[in-house]
Amino acid sequence: MISVASWNINSVRLRMPIVARFLTEEAPDVLCLQEIKTVEETFPFEAFNALGYTHHAVHGQKGYHGVATVSRIPLKEYSRHDWQDNGEARHVGVELTEQGKGTVIENVYVPAGGDIPDREQNVKFGQKLDFLARMTDWAGKIEAPTLIVGDFNIAPLPSDVWGHKQLLKVVSHTPLEVQVLQKFKDAHGFIDIGREHIRDPERYFSWWSYRSKDWRVNDRGRRLDHMWASPDLAAKSTGHRVLEDCRDWEKPSDHVPLITEFDL
DNA sequence: ATGGTGGGTAGCCCA
């Protein structure tokens, strides 16, 4: 059995205490972090090593974005893509080298896309769409059994958001983004593991804005984080959980971790 | 309809 977690941590240095708590309590084999907001030189390697997570692939950037995959089972860095073609650190891929040998885990942080869902008025929205288009070209050429996880910054289903009608013109849930994400999915035949285990139309959120008070009461969440797998790999997924309680931990991220277990 | 809260980092950018 191998378990893989994904968590947009919104500064790994600030939140190392809750990361340590998560690794101690849940002990996933692999943890994919997004928005680490640091370069490799100041990544807290020692803290991860002390917890038994001695294998790392870090693609960092000063102040913004950045992704890291840490593991207690052996892996090697496999790829780094710049799907936005602007030098931002939003992807790192690893390949498992012993247990689960040959399995590729791609860790991605899709651009949020700004506030206005129109590429003419908002450069960031165009960059988000272009990022996804390049990711789609790449997905069509995948050969290894692949798990792609991370903050996709799109909530595709009506049951992935607190209010479908209210959010149709809000970046992350527009029909155009949903369509572009679907093309990416179809390019490789990815399976949405989260929704294999928590079926539509059951409520499934992974992010609650810091700006919304009483997140548990108002529950204005969205499912921005995903774990998608090649069909053969998805068939080996035996469990999937959303750790909503982490949203209430001290100095929380606005995202919560997802964990999938595989019979590998 | 608006602004609301966070993080990184040094005057804003980004989410």
Side-chain angles (χ1 to χ4, degrees), chain A residues 53-256:
Chain A
Y53 291 77
T54 55
H55 308 274
H56 326 101
V58 180
H59 187 183
Q61 183 179 334
K62 184 182 171 79
Y64 303 103
H65 325 306
V67 292
T69 300
V70 300
S71 173
R72 52 182 200 167
I73 60 175
L75 53 74
K76 66 180 180 193
E77 187 169 317
Y78 176 77
S79 54
R80 282 186 188 205
H81 296 296
D82 179 5
W83 286 311
Q84 204 172 200
D85 198 24
N86 68 352
E88 292 181 354
R90 295 180 175 274
H91 169 267
V92 70
V94 299
E95 180 180 5
L96 302 182
T97 54
E98 289 182 22
Q99 196 182 351
K101 185 176 168 65
T103 303
V104 170
I105 302 174
E106 307 279 6
N107 176 2
V108 66
Y109 175 42
V110 176
D115 288 332
I116 304 168
D118 177 348
R119 71 157 74 228
E120 302 301 321
Q121 297 177 58
N122 168 18
V123 172
K124 289 182 194 305
F125 191 71
Q127 288 175 337
K128 180 179 195 175
L129 298 177
D130 294 345
F131 184 105
L132 289 158
R134 291 192 190 93
M135 222 166 76
T136 300
D137 291 340
W138 161 84
K141 301 171 199 152
I142 292 173
E143 292 181 0
T146 297
L147 173 68
I148 182 161
V149 308
D151 180 358
F152 290 14
N153 265 314
I154 298 174
L157 301 172
S159 55
D160 291 336
V161 295
W162 62 269
H164 173 58
K165 284 184 180 168
Q166 294 93 326
L167 292 174
L168 278 170
K169 292 180 179 173
V170 173
V171 173
S172 75
H173 193 61
T174 64
L176 177 57
E177 289 168 276
V178 171
Q179 180 191 332
V180 165
L181 188 65
Q182 183 65 43
K183 277 189 191 164
F184 167 65
K185 195 177 188 191
D186 293 342
H188 179 66
F190 280 119
I191 306 295
D192 178 347
I193 293 178
R195 281 302 185 189
E196 290 294 296
H197 293 268
I198 304 170
R199 307 294 303 204
D200 181 36
E202 188 175 340
R203 166 193 169 285
Y204 183 162
F205 306 150
S206 68
W207 171 88
W208 294 260
S209 172
Y210 287 122
R211 298 176 190 175
S212 173
K213 286 279 182 206
D214 293 321
W215 71 276
R216 228 188 250 285
V217 175
N218 297 316
D219 200 24
R220 293 198 163 190
R222 305 178 204 169
R223 182 171 73 117
L224 302 181
D225 302 274
H226 300 265
M227 306 185 86
W228 290 6
S230 305
D232 291 356
L233 182 58
K236 295 177 185 167
S237 76
T238 55
H240 177 85
R241 289 181 297 139
V242 188
L243 286 93
E244 288 194 17
D245 287 350
C246 297
R247 187 65 180 75
D248 266 341
W249 287 3
E250 193 174 350
K251 298 275 286 176
S253 170
D254 45 355
H255 296 251
V256 297

Side-chain angles (χ1 to χ4, degrees), chain A residues 1-4 27 29 72-73 99 238 260-264:
Chain A
M1 208 270 292
I2 290 179
S3 56
V4 181
D29 294 301
R72 52 182 200 167
I73 60 175
Q99 196 182 351
T238 55
T260 300
E261 291 164 356
F262 295 92
D263 186 9
L264 274 175

